Amino acid sequence: MGTNYYAHLNGCTKCGRYDEVHIGKSKRTVRIHPDLGIYEFADWRKILDSESVTIWDEYGTRLELDSSIEVHGWLDEWQRWPTVEVWALEDPYAKDYLSIGDYLDRDGYHVSSHDFC
Ligand SMILES: [Zn+2]
């Protein structure tokens, strides 16, 4: 169940090099990357809207970014939980707790700062 998705960031037009970053597994967990400033799903949405970023699934298929409506429909496949346990990210200390592991972001998406597939 669910498919892993990856973003290709910082692509070089000269040599083709890029950074592959795990977005997460659809219908399940969003992978956040505090080292890249990605603390919650909303941060990913902003990055994925960039024209310089491409999105790929685990089978090597590129998701087209032409239609932002389609992209957002796809993004909404992620598991969203009732927001009863949402961390208060406004709390300046909350980001220190990210190392503890999984939590729900402000929009109720299940996110994790740990590696998984
Ligand atoms: Zn290069």
Side-chain angles (χ1 to χ4, degrees):
M1 281 230 339
T3 301
N4 282 292
Y5 292 98
Y6 301 87
H8 290 184
L9 310 177
N10 309 319
C12 175
T13 53
K14 288 180 181 164
C15 68
R17 197 203 67 80
Y18 56 83
D19 297 324
E20 185 173 83
V21 182
H22 191 201
I23 301 169
K25 192 165 198 169
S26 64
K27 299 182 173 68
R28 295 192 62 186
T29 304
V30 177
R31 176 78 154 82
I32 54 168
H33 302 268
D35 53 322
L36 299 175
I38 302 169
Y39 296 100
E40 55 185 329
F41 200 23
D43 294 328
W44 260 128
R45 285 176 181 269
K46 283 178 223 152
I47 289 169
L48 297 177
D49 269 340
S50 166
E51 279 180 20
S52 62
V53 173
T54 57
I55 304 168
W56 301 77
D57 69 17
E58 65 184 78
Y59 309 108
T61 303
R62 181 179 168 181
L63 278 76
E64 288 301 329
L65 283 168
D66 297 346
S67 165
S68 59
I69 292 169
E70 273 183 40
V71 169
H72 289 161
W74 159 69
L75 287 175
D76 286 338
E77 278 188 7
W78 256 285
Q79 180 153 279
R80 203 167 175 183
W81 294 30
T83 54
V84 288
E85 296 176 51
V86 175
W87 281 88
L89 285 180
E90 293 85 357
D91 179 341
Y93 298 105
K95 283 169 182 168
D96 294 338
Y97 301 147
L98 288 175
S99 59
I100 295 170
D102 299 8
Y103 68 103
L104 300 179
D105 73 10
R106 284 185 290 190
D107 294 321
Y109 290 98
H110 184 242
V111 302
S112 173
S113 59
H114 295 157
D115 274 328
F116 62 89
C117 60

